[in-house]
Amino acid sequence: KATQGEKSLRVGVPTVSEIKKIYPHKKNEKGGITITGYNGKDVDVRVPEIIGKTPVTAIADNCFGDNKDNDQKKFLRTQLRSIEIPDSVVEIGSMAFWYCEALESVKLPKNLKTISRSMFYNCKNLAIEIPKGITDIQDSAFEGCSIKSMTIPATVEVIAETAFGKCSGWGAHGM
């Protein structure tokens, strides 16, 4: 432990307490953690794989698209640029990135099966590779998006009629 005036060797590595403040969360019924919000200021976000000793297994509805703090909501909607979600996550709720208009790049977990309803609604410059294993793209998942590039794997069995409503930009391939 560093004493006053000394620098810790863990410079830049957040403590569990700091992670809990940045990523509000709750235990879920499967024994993992569901991230319920983001209170950080990084524009390039890497969701933690574990908090304490518990794996992060889900991202809640509206997690990055809404926030009780209006300044944080504005930050998420206008400045969040990229997000990397660990493979421990098996579920991402609806509207998780709702109106994150600056979101350009998303790395989804390989164990995810569904792109939920309105997950990326109104993201304006999105480049995304949908991982193999995704089987379902729900209503309005990408509605209103300007899609820079997208790869859709052959594992996708169901694409809802409105999944890509009002989209522009289409550099999509791979379907």
Side-chain angles (χ1 to χ4, degrees):
K1 187 173 182 179
T3 60
Q4 190 172 4
E6 293 180 342
K7 291 188 178 183
S8 170
L9 294 176
R10 293 175 40 119
V11 173
V13 178
T15 65
V16 172
S17 178
E18 291 169 329
I19 291 171
K20 287 179 178 181
K21 288 178 186 172
I22 295 169
Y23 296 96
H25 62 279
K26 63 183 179 182
K27 288 259 185 169
N28 59 44
E29 62 280 352
K30 297 176 184 172
I33 286 177
T34 299
I35 300 288
T36 59
Y38 178 68
N39 294 324
K41 291 297 181 189
D42 290 331
V43 296
D44 300 305
V45 174
R46 189 173 188 182
V47 174
E49 190 168 359
I50 61 170
I51 295 179
K53 295 181 181 178
T54 308
V56 174
T57 59
I59 306 285
D61 293 352
N62 296 307
C63 184
F64 290 87
D66 203 2
N67 196 292
K68 292 177 185 172
D69 178 293
N70 283 331
D71 289 337
Q72 184 67 7
K73 181 190 294 189
K74 183 178 179 183
F75 168 79
L76 291 169
R77 290 185 174 190
T78 62
Q79 295 181 47
L80 182 64
R81 183 175 54 208
S82 71
I83 187 155
E84 184 176 332
I85 302 168
D87 289 336
S88 60
V89 172
V90 296
E91 182 181 343
I92 301 175
S94 64
M95 301 185 290
F97 306 100
W98 172 268
Y99 277 98
C100 292
E101 294 182 357
L103 190 60
E104 296 176 2
S105 172
V106 178
K107 183 199 170 282
L108 293 171
K110 67 181 179 183
N111 298 315
L112 192 65
K113 300 293 179 207
T114 300
I115 304 291
S116 63
R117 181 179 56 82
S118 301
M119 186 185 291
F120 296 103
Y121 188 93
N122 214 42
C123 294
K124 294 298 184 187
N125 200 23
L126 194 60
I128 186 169
E129 182 173 334
I130 297 174
K132 290 178 180 155
I134 295 285
T135 59
D136 186 16
I137 300 176
Q138 295 183 346
D139 289 332
S140 303
F142 295 96
E143 187 170 337
C145 289
S146 177
I147 298 173
K148 188 166 62 174
S149 70
M150 175 181 286
T151 300
I152 301 173
T155 57
V156 174
E157 298 169 359
V158 177
I159 298 176
E161 186 175 332
T162 61
F164 295 96
K166 302 176 189 169
C167 284
S168 64
W170 285 104
H173 63 286
M175 190 163 152

